[in-house]
Amino acid sequence: MKRGEAITKVNWMLGGTFIGLNMFHKTGIDSPLKEIKLIATRPKTYFLQEAVNLGLSSIAHRLDQSDNFRPYFELHLKPAPFLEHQIWDLGDMCSRFTDAYILGRQMTGFDEYRTEEHALRKLLLKSDPYANPFMAGRMLIAYVDIYLQEPIAEHKKRIADLVEITRSKMTFEKDYSYYFKNADGWRSVHDAVFGDFNGYPTFPLGGIILALARYTETVEEPQCEDLLDRLCRFVLNVSGTFEADGSFMGHTHSGGILTAAAGIMRWAINRNNKKVIDQMKNAFDWTMKYSSSWGWVPDGLGPDHASCESCSITDALHLGLLIARHVDSSYYGFLERFSRNQLLENQIRSPEVFLPKTSFPDQDKIKNALYGSWASYSLPNSLDNSTDVEGCCLGSGIVGCYLIWDNIVIKEDYKVMVNMAFSRNSQWLEVIGYQPYEGKIELLIHDAPTVNVRIPYWVSEEDIRVSSGEKKFPFTFMPNRYIELKDLKKGNLVRIEYPLKQENSVEKVSGQIYNVRWRGDTVVSVQPLGHTYPIFQRSWMEKEIVPVVDT
């Protein structure tokens, strides 16, 4: 739903937001070419890092230098392109863009636009958290991210002050709290309204729940824990958002539903509440029934001919990654396919497609702001489902890439887990992925004596080849479809090879039939083509020669 259409409807509400944010915040960066030079080249498969750097540049070009670097929320494409300030510029955009710079720089070591980042931080700290119902939660997420980056007393106090203001705006009843309740008996599965997110009880709560869940995982703070408990109980037991089986209808992101689900899932995991964990897992599975297998996620879940907001993809990734890490590791397969495909394809790489052929005011600025943005209203085969691009999706696209990057390699007890075949470096090992060109992963070991690597669903144990140097390397094929490698030493280079499945499939998504060509986990073609800005035109990914970059 377009936010501009909702501004006049929200004055009676008290605040909140709907954004999903990062899941596991760590220090350190991923500079993919700053490695031990055992390998002279790398495959050109640093897709997430490349997308993030483009996005960070796009943010810098979306700021109004004549107004203290205030962001432009709206980039209008038709009938004539122009950038427009809106109420969302401050508490919302400044928060999202601050998050994007914090997280994106961790991934890539990107060091440009420090002046712009500093200006955004100053605007954020001056923003009114209740200028509209989204702001408090959005700002609280950013404050938590700032604290996790630099856990000092000043940042902790800022969180405490905002939580105190938030509590003062809420109604407290029994064991739950809320901003507003719908009439008794309201249930999203029957009463969802499409095109207006103001009636969803999660709309002003999703971001607050997510921020508090992240914060209380790190900091013992009774006031925050109490408010989080109350908000989760309200959403689960009173609001009518989710059925007992996890089903729902409505706006996944703009209505705050999946944002709240991600926060509630974190809350339930932290409290080992199996009933709620299962319910939120079911909510994710329910969402997948309305999504494409390559990651198109509707913002309006229910009717056909829906539109995908990039923010909805990020919310789904956040919830799915919690499931993969804590419940069922096979979900990493879904999430890798989502990320290789719709998440990356939703980024605008050819801005000239949208822009007039003749000159227009602020042409260079608008083109640079559009290049690297994420689409706000995409179809499964195109990005041309609207006449504007909202700034929220730019921030969310970068966060979505971070979420995936942060879970490619993790450590559990004594084992290092390689969950997805994207290229990235880590303190334990470097993953060098060759998809979609080859079914191959190379591991350059730093400090990982035992490594488990997830194998794609189509690969049988007999088809896996593991080697180091010219010799076979022993492995154990585990029941969860990971292979375990042991006795690894610093400097070892291990190669894992497997067949790369190529197939054509037919899929019905949001009322439309699509013919899809897959190469491994990557979609290289979707037919029919979209109109103005068709996507998945990836014939270059079907080449047998792997493109490389020198190290």
Side-chain angles (χ1 to χ4, degrees):
M1 176 189 176
K2 293 185 180 181
R3 292 202 220 174
E5 298 170 357
I7 292 175
T8 58
K9 303 177 183 178
V10 299
N11 293 334
W12 58 277
M13 299 178 65
L14 290 172
T17 189
F18 50 76
I19 176 67
L21 195 67
N22 65 299
M23 187 163 65
F24 306 105
H25 189 107
K26 300 188 180 79
T27 57
I29 62 173
D30 182 18
S31 300
L33 302 184
K34 295 178 181 178
E35 310 293 351
I36 300 171
K37 303 250 180 135
L38 293 180
I39 312 170
T41 62
R42 295 290 190 278
K44 197 174 181 181
T45 56
Y46 292 86
F47 301 119
L48 297 171
Q49 296 89 333
E50 179 183 346
V52 163
N53 281 348
L54 289 177
L56 296 177
S57 179
S58 178
I59 289 174
H61 290 97
R62 204 181 180 109
L63 308 180
D64 185 351
Q65 295 189 27
S66 68
D67 191 8
N68 299 310
F69 293 92
R70 176 175 175 161
Y72 291 98
F73 174 74
E74 199 87 36
L75 198 168
H76 294 274
L77 301 173
K78 296 177 181 179
F82 69 97
L83 290 158
E84 182 184 24
H85 287 302
Q86 293 187 5
I87 193 172
W88 318 107
D89 295 349
L90 298 173
D92 193 10
M93 291 301 96
C94 290
S95 298
R96 293 176 190 266
F97 291 169
T98 294
D99 295 329
Y101 276 116
I102 290 173
L103 303 177
R105 293 192 196 282
Q106 286 189 56
M107 289 178 62
T108 70
F110 187 86
D111 199 43
E112 298 180 42
Y113 306 121
R114 291 287 182 180
T115 298
E116 289 82 352
E117 181 183 9
H118 180 67
L120 285 166
R121 184 80 63 93
K122 288 179 66 176
L123 287 171
L124 168 63
L125 299 182
K126 294 178 181 178
S127 296
D128 179 358
Y130 283 93
N132 67 70
F134 291 160
M135 301 304 183
R138 177 63 256 172
M139 290 174 63
L140 188 58
I141 288 172
Y143 286 178
V144 169
D145 223 34
I146 291 168
Y147 173 81
L148 292 177
Q149 182 190 38
E150 188 183 12
I152 61 176
E154 177 187 352
H155 298 160
K156 188 174 183 180
K157 182 179 185 305
R158 190 175 293 126
I159 292 170
D161 289 346
L162 182 50
V163 169
E164 183 177 352
I165 294 170
T166 300
R167 290 177 66 94
S168 73
K169 301 286 187 179
M170 290 188 173
T171 298
F172 285 68
E173 290 183 7
K174 300 178 182 178
D175 64 348
Y176 59 87
S177 302
Y178 59 92
Y179 282 122
F180 74 93
K181 287 194 293 188
N182 284 321
D184 290 346
W186 186 92
R187 293 163 62 195
S188 73
V189 291
H190 299 308
D191 303 311
V193 174
F194 295 92
D196 180 2
F197 52 70
N198 291 288
Y200 294 91
T202 47
F203 145 70
L205 296 179
I208 293 173
I209 291 171
L210 186 55
L212 290 174
R214 293 179 59 239
Y215 186 56
T216 56
E217 290 168 2
T218 305
V219 177
E220 186 175 338
E221 182 53 64
Q223 285 282 82
C224 293
E225 291 174 4
D226 175 70
L227 182 57
L228 175 61
D229 289 347
R230 287 176 167 276
L231 295 179
C232 289
R233 292 188 198 109
F234 169 72
V235 172
L236 292 170
N237 304 328
V238 181
S239 73
T241 301
F242 298 104
E243 299 295 294
D245 63 1
S247 59
F248 66 91
M249 289 290 177
H251 286 293
T252 54
H253 179 74
S254 60
I257 296 174
L258 284 185
T259 316
I264 291 169
M265 177 62 105
R266 298 183 74 131
W267 171 78
I269 290 168
N270 197 37
R271 287 154 178 75
N272 196 28
N273 188 327
K274 188 176 186 307
K275 178 182 177 182
V276 175
I277 290 171
D278 289 344
Q279 187 180 11
M280 293 301 98
K281 177 181 177 295
N282 290 342
F284 179 85
D285 294 341
W286 174 260
T287 304
M288 294 305 96
K289 293 179 181 179
Y290 291 82
S291 305
S292 77
S293 61
W294 60 89
W296 181 90
V297 180
D299 181 43
L301 188 148
D304 287 341
H305 310 297
S307 186
C308 171
E309 188 174 358
S310 295
C311 303
S312 295
I313 300 174
T314 294
D315 282 347
L317 290 174
H318 196 147
L319 179 57
L321 285 165
L322 290 164
I323 296 168
R325 186 156 186 173
H326 297 281
V327 182
D328 183 351
S329 61
S330 71
Y331 278 64
Y332 283 120
F334 294 117
L335 303 167
E336 180 166 354
R337 291 191 287 279
F338 275 36
S339 306
R340 288 185 179 275
N341 298 301
Q342 198 77 41
L343 177 64
L344 293 176
E345 284 292 280
N346 259 30
Q347 188 176 40
I348 297 168
R349 300 290 187 98
S350 301
E352 67 278 359
V353 172
F354 285 127
L355 301 175
K357 305 303 181 187
T358 56
S359 62
F360 55 90
D362 295 323
Q363 182 170 343
D364 289 342
K365 182 173 183 61
I366 288 172
K367 183 176 181 179
N368 289 331
L370 189 56
Y371 180 52
S373 287
W374 265 264
S376 303
Y377 307 95
S378 68
L379 299 175
N381 64 345
S382 69
L383 304 185
D384 48 278
N385 199 34
S386 180
T387 59
D388 54 70
V389 178
E390 298 176 350
C392 56
C393 292
L394 171 54
S396 283
I398 292 169
V399 170
C401 291
Y402 173 85
L403 288 170
I404 292 298
W405 173 87
D406 195 41
N407 281 271
I408 295 167
V409 183
I410 63 175
K411 190 167 187 181
E412 292 185 352
D413 299 323
Y414 65 92
K415 297 180 293 189
V416 173
M417 312 292 291
V418 178
N419 298 313
M420 291 170 282
F422 283 106
S423 293
R424 73 149 292 183
N425 194 21
S426 75
Q427 67 191 81
W428 306 293
L429 52 79
E430 181 187 0
V431 181
I432 307 168
Y434 285 77
Q435 281 206 53
Y437 308 105
E438 296 180 11
K440 183 167 70 175
I441 306 170
E442 291 177 330
L443 307 177
L444 181 57
I445 306 301
H446 305 323
D447 181 16
T450 300
V451 177
N452 285 16
V453 183
R454 188 181 62 82
I455 300 299
Y457 73 92
W458 66 83
V459 179
S460 66
E461 180 178 358
E462 294 74 25
D463 289 331
I464 302 168
R465 301 189 304 278
V466 183
S467 60
S468 182
E470 300 299 321
K471 298 180 180 179
K472 291 183 179 180
F473 196 92
F475 67 89
T476 302
F477 191 80
M478 311 293 284
N480 62 355
R481 295 199 55 80
Y482 281 67
I483 61 170
E484 185 165 83
L485 312 172
K486 292 184 175 181
D487 300 322
L488 296 165
K489 296 178 174 57
K490 182 176 180 178
N492 285 165
L493 181 66
V494 180
R495 180 176 293 109
I496 302 166
E497 297 173 285
Y498 49 82
L500 195 63
K501 184 177 183 179
Q502 300 184 53
E503 67 174 351
N504 297 310
S505 63
V506 178
E507 191 167 330
K508 186 175 183 180
V509 184
S510 198
Q512 172 72 46
I513 298 294
Y514 296 97
N515 295 292
V516 186
R517 178 163 174 76
W518 290 84
R519 184 177 175 88
D521 288 310
T522 302
V523 171
V524 295
S525 172
V526 173
Q527 299 287 339
L529 289 174
H531 298 293
T532 304
Y533 196 122
I535 54 178
F536 295 109
Q537 296 182 288
R538 293 166 141 185
S539 59
W540 53 275
M541 287 186 167
E542 298 193 81
K543 296 178 180 178
E544 298 297 330
I545 299 175
V546 180
V548 297
V549 291
D550 294 331
T551 61

